[in-house]
Amino acid sequence: MLHMARLFVLFAFLLGMVSDAYAAGEILIGLAGPMTGDQSKLGGDIERGARLAIEEWNAKGGVLKKKIRLLVGDDQHDPKQAVSVANKMVNQGIIGMVGHFNSSASIPASSVYHRAGIPMITPASTNPKLTDQGFKNVFRVCGRDDQQGRVAADFAAKKLRVKKVAILHDKTTYGQGLADEFKKNLSRYASSGISVVYEGGLTQGERDFRGILIAVKAKAPELLYFGGIFPEGGLLARQAKEVGLTAPMMSGDGVIDPKFIEIAGAAAEGTYLTFTPDPEVLPQAKRFLTQYKAKHGNELAPYAIYAYDATNVLLTAIAGARQTKGDAVVGALRNLKYDGASGHIEFDQKGDVKESPYIVWITKGGKFETFWTPTP
Amino acid sequence: MLTGTGIWSHASPDKIRERYVFVQQLINGLTVGAIYALLALGYSMVYGVLGLINFAHGEIYMIGAYSGILYFHLLTAIGAAGWPPVSFLLLLFLGSAVTAVGYAVFLEQVAYRPLRSARSLSPLISAIGASVFLQNYVMLTQGSADLVFPTLFPNEPLSWTTVPISGVQAMMMFTSFSLMLALHLFVTKTRLGKGIRAVAQDKTMAALCGIDVNRLIMLTFAIGAILAAGAGVMVGMYNGTVHFSIGFMVGLKAFAAAVLGGIGSLPGAMVGGILLGLVESLGSAYLVSEFKDGFAFCLLILVLIVKPTGLFGDATQRS
């Protein structure tokens, strides 16, 4: 008798695990990024952005008359962990995925969602490869590094008019990818005498970059370009000044975070960063920013708005498709025209946004300010 | 700074810049090498007395670095910021050292002493477990984001020297070499040092001669922790940020340095650490920057092929 009871409990438990989404009549949306570790702030930012969108939808009665629940996965910006998180999410029955954050996580995870036919919208992964794989279910609401690299190269050549450039990257899919795109676009200006005088990689998690910076300094570059994320970016800026490298630093959207300024201190001043326009000046972003700040304070969270938009786009597509089947939602996403908080969102053939206006920011007085807009 | 007398004269500007860069890399290597040496001493001493590789030693270093930040804010809060920098720094080191010693002694009591008579694999596994535990403990209590170490020393090259050395580097080298000298004097000249050497040679015999073996083993762990805490505080200042995972790679490299010098040998640990720092710095500067972490282990493999006991492994084996 006892044996039977045990078996029953076990079965009930297993069933509970499998059907926990269906039984509750919920729509499960997945979100994944680095929730712990050195980049945990970035993961937290996208989670807060996505939650805001979901709360708004739930307040209006959810989607397809069901409440929406967010499942959060921690990939620790590790490709292996990302795949395991993706498998877990798929098994738990998510309808769509907002994430992952890092390109190095999104690319391997995307094939898991692809096999399961689940739509995936990343708010932050900018490596071109992600949407160049030809997966119909993969989208992004942020820009691409080839666009970002082009703007950075144009800026270096046309605005800064530098001749000698040093390039460093953190050997990750995102960092090295961005550095490569920058270099590729810079070569278009080779006729005007711009050359790359140093190129090298450093290891993510490393903290002493003096060796490589001294080697960079020996080549006397006029600009140091870095492809990577803020923990390394901040230390690079700081230690560059220490070894007497006076050339300004330039980097991309992985570095634009308040923590960069905290780590680099005064050495952050004058760093150029490519990023999308300031949401503060976008009229359509106003409502989002007011609500976000009321909840989470004034600290800058550059990616929260993209996660908010990605979630809204996904839920709008589910509502439009009137069902939760992956193919139908993906189809709805392809034809979607949505005015988000970050701008107009419409996907092209690959799943990239049609408009992605990168501009150049500068660090000034301990803050990020918009600095230069490329002329089309 | 580039012109003037001494090593910078009689050369073209390009040559001068090249030499300047070389000297700067050399000083970086020495600074980092001195840190490896301090940590390698901890590995080597514990190996000397117990035959155990204390894989949690890197985490003691990490805890030293975190304590540094803690005591920095504590000292600033009680208004010590206005005191002379030397006394501020001494208090900072002292606080971190006491904290690190507490952890190391606790570790010895809990993780190693109960396994002392077990086969050698068990304490080793216990050490790895302790290392993982301490990392996660610090992650949970201090958070997983990078903590910024407040700037205390000028990081710019000192203007009154002709060599490119920064204030913090000068302080680090001075402190490291003082600590090493103090350790050397302690081990060779004092009664307690003699006791440690006796325990390293033969625990049973030492106990028969009336030496309190347990107390001396604890002392060995404590000395290792003091050196590790000093290293942690200095690296925290030098690099600028601290994270719960910093002990792992540095610990591995310091262990490599100890083996390189001949594990159990104190001069070996010092020389091994400094050599490792230099090879890493010059290797990443002149060969491949991407391969920085690899140089330490390549050097280790090379030396072990030629001389399996390490550089100082034979003559002065075991403390």
Side-chain angles (χ1 to χ4, degrees):
Chain A
M1 219 28 223
L2 189 70
H3 188 69
M4 287 290 284
R6 248 194 220 161
L7 210 64
F8 178 74
V9 170
L10 184 71
F11 262 101
F13 179 65
L14 283 177
L15 276 175
M17 281 206 326
V18 173
S19 62
D20 111 77
Y22 305 102
E26 287 175 325
I27 299 258
L28 276 184
I29 300 292
L31 178 136
M35 296 298 158
T36 58
D38 52 348
Q39 295 175 19
S40 56
K41 175 171 179 298
L42 299 172
D45 286 349
I46 62 167
E47 183 187 340
R48 287 183 281 272
R51 280 205 190 281
L52 191 62
I54 287 174
E55 278 161 25
E56 287 174 7
W57 278 80
N58 278 341
K60 288 185 287 183
V63 66
L64 307 180
K65 297 194 177 117
K66 286 180 182 174
K67 289 277 175 201
I68 305 144
R69 186 152 69 89
L70 190 70
L71 263 185
V72 178
D74 177 17
D75 64 25
Q76 299 165 3
H77 66 85
D78 174 3
K80 295 186 289 294
Q81 198 68 25
V83 171
S84 116
V85 165
N87 279 314
K88 208 171 133 198
M89 291 265 178
V90 168
N91 289 336
Q92 281 175 303
I94 56 164
I95 304 302
M97 162 50 81
V98 177
H100 295 208
F101 188 90
N102 310 74
S103 295
S104 48
S106 287
I107 294 172
S110 66
S111 55
V112 176
Y113 303 118
H114 177 65
R115 272 200 303 277
I118 291 171
M120 158 184 176
I121 310 176
T122 171
S125 298
T126 46
N127 190 288
K129 260 184 232 144
L130 178 63
T131 47
D132 287 351
Q133 296 174 107
F135 292 165
K136 285 271 166 260
N137 64 316
V138 177
F139 302 86
R140 64 176 132 212
V141 293
C142 51
R144 288 164 58 103
D145 287 339
D146 37 10
Q147 298 164 335
Q148 188 172 182
R150 191 174 64 232
V151 171
D154 288 349
F155 175 75
K158 290 186 197 158
K159 171 79 182 166
L160 294 180
R161 295 168 191 277
V162 289
K163 296 287 175 227
K164 293 199 273 181
V165 180
I167 300 179
L168 294 179
H169 58 77
D170 65 2
K171 295 191 282 188
T172 64
T173 313
Y174 162 74
Q176 188 162 7
L178 180 59
D180 286 349
E181 291 298 341
F182 174 72
K183 190 184 168 194
K184 207 193 297 171
N185 281 293
L186 207 60
S187 65
R188 291 187 295 125
Y189 294 100
S191 55
S192 58
I194 292 193
S195 61
V196 176
V197 291
Y198 188 93
E199 203 183 349
L202 44 91
T203 308
Q204 215 175 27
E206 172 77 37
R207 278 172 172 71
D208 180 6
F209 303 120
R210 288 173 185 81
I212 197 165
L213 283 169
I214 291 167
V216 167
K217 186 189 151 202
K219 301 284 182 195
E222 295 156 89
L223 179 73
L224 169 61
Y225 188 83
F226 172 60
I229 315 269
F230 64 85
E232 286 77 31
L235 290 176
L236 266 180
R238 179 174 163 155
Q239 294 173 6
K241 294 286 172 291
E242 277 173 42
V243 302
L245 182 66
T246 47
M249 191 167 112
M250 177 160 199
S251 190
D253 52 349
V255 168
I256 192 154
D257 190 282
K259 198 89 186 163
F260 165 70
I261 296 173
E262 192 194 331
I263 293 172
E269 291 295 293
T271 302
Y272 304 109
L273 302 159
T274 43
F275 195 52
T276 42
D278 188 358
E280 300 279 353
V281 302
L282 299 175
Q284 70 269 27
K286 203 158 181 193
R287 203 174 59 88
F288 164 80
L289 287 174
T290 324
Q291 285 179 322
Y292 189 87
K293 284 179 185 165
K295 263 202 150 111
H296 307 295
N298 268 328
E299 201 191 9
L300 184 72
Y303 285 99
I305 193 166
Y306 290 98
Y308 176 80
D309 273 356
T311 314
N312 276 325
V313 161
L314 180 63
L315 293 172
T316 309
I318 295 173
R322 296 214 189 83
Q323 54 171 310
T324 56
K325 252 190 99 231
D327 292 349
V329 179
V330 168
L333 278 169
R334 297 238 158 248
N335 300 316
L336 191 80
K337 287 186 176 63
Y338 182 82
D339 282 308
S342 66
H344 181 73
I345 294 173
E346 201 181 327
F347 296 109
D348 66 7
Q349 275 304 305
K350 287 179 169 174
D352 296 319
V353 277
K354 284 188 177 160
E355 299 166 31
S356 70
Y358 275 107
I359 61 164
V360 176
W361 293 58
I362 190 170
T363 317
K364 209 172 170 184
K367 282 203 174 80
F368 299 113
E369 281 177 17
T370 55
F371 186 68
W372 184 77
T373 313
T375 43
Chain B
M1 215 183 315
L2 290 177
T3 51
T5 54
I7 54 172
W8 307 121
S9 57
H10 314 301
S12 66
D14 272 357
K15 270 270 180 299
I16 289 178
R17 188 196 287 154
E18 243 168 61
R19 272 189 225 168
Y20 187 84
V21 163
F22 178 75
V23 173
Q24 211 169 0
Q25 297 285 19
L26 213 61
I27 287 172
N28 283 344
L30 272 179
T31 315
V32 179
I35 296 295
Y36 290 152
L38 285 182
L39 287 169
L41 283 169
Y43 278 102
S44 230
M45 284 183 70
V46 167
Y47 185 85
V49 295
L50 283 181
L52 161 79
I53 292 154
N54 179 13
F55 272 115
H57 195 54
E59 273 56 57
I60 298 294
Y61 152 90
M62 178 265 291
I63 285 171
Y66 269 96
S67 316
I69 297 185
L70 181 79
Y71 288 108
F72 187 97
H73 290 301
L74 219 67
L75 284 170
T76 320
I78 60 164
W83 300 356
V86 175
S87 56
F88 188 91
L89 202 64
L90 274 179
L91 283 174
L92 200 65
F93 277 130
L94 202 69
S96 304
V98 168
T99 313
V101 166
Y103 276 98
V105 168
F106 175 75
L107 207 64
E108 195 268 324
Q109 304 259 330
V110 174
Y112 304 138
R113 189 169 295 185
L115 296 170
R116 199 168 296 159
S117 53
R119 263 185 276 170
S120 64
L121 204 55
S122 312
L124 193 71
I125 292 167
S126 183
I128 293 170
S131 155
V132 173
F133 173 80
L134 285 177
Q135 280 190 36
N136 285 281
Y137 161 75
V138 172
M139 182 187 85
L140 289 174
T141 51
Q142 301 296 322
S144 57
D146 284 36
L147 285 191
V148 176
F149 209 110
T151 320
L152 189 64
F153 264 81
N155 276 327
E156 288 74 41
L158 293 176
S159 49
W160 45 268
T161 55
T162 49
V163 284
I165 184 167
S166 69
V168 65
Q169 283 176 326
M171 181 277 290
M172 283 168 81
M173 280 202 233
F174 175 76
T175 314
S176 306
F177 289 114
S178 309
L179 280 171
M180 284 186 236
L181 184 70
L183 178 76
H184 176 74
L185 292 178
F186 176 82
V187 171
T188 52
K189 300 277 190 256
T190 65
R191 263 181 80 82
L192 281 172
K194 208 180 206 175
I196 290 181
R197 280 183 291 151
V199 172
Q201 271 176 10
D202 191 332
K203 273 200 277 296
T204 323
M205 198 58 210
L208 284 175
C209 295
I211 293 173
D212 187 345
V213 174
N214 277 339
R215 202 167 64 101
L216 284 177
I217 288 176
M218 223 185 328
L219 181 71
T220 310
F221 273 86
I223 292 171
I226 293 171
L227 301 180
V233 172
M234 289 191 286
V235 170
M237 276 179 207
Y238 185 52
N239 287 352
T241 57
V242 169
H243 188 243
F244 70 86
S245 65
I246 57 167
F248 180 72
M249 191 41 100
V250 174
L252 270 186
K253 284 186 194 161
F255 170 62
V259 176
L260 181 70
I263 191 147
S265 150
L266 298 191
M270 297 183 209
V271 172
I274 289 164
L275 202 62
L276 210 67
L278 286 176
V279 166
E280 200 178 272
S281 171
L282 296 178
S284 69
Y286 293 104
L287 298 173
V288 233
S289 70
E290 283 91 342
F291 203 56
K292 188 176 172 198
D293 287 338
F295 288 114
F297 303 108
C298 286
L299 180 68
L300 177 69
I301 292 167
L302 279 180
V303 169
L304 289 187
I305 289 172
V306 180
K307 198 163 183 298
T309 49
L311 294 174
F312 290 69
D314 284 326
T316 51
Q317 208 180 17
R318 300 207 145 191
S319 295

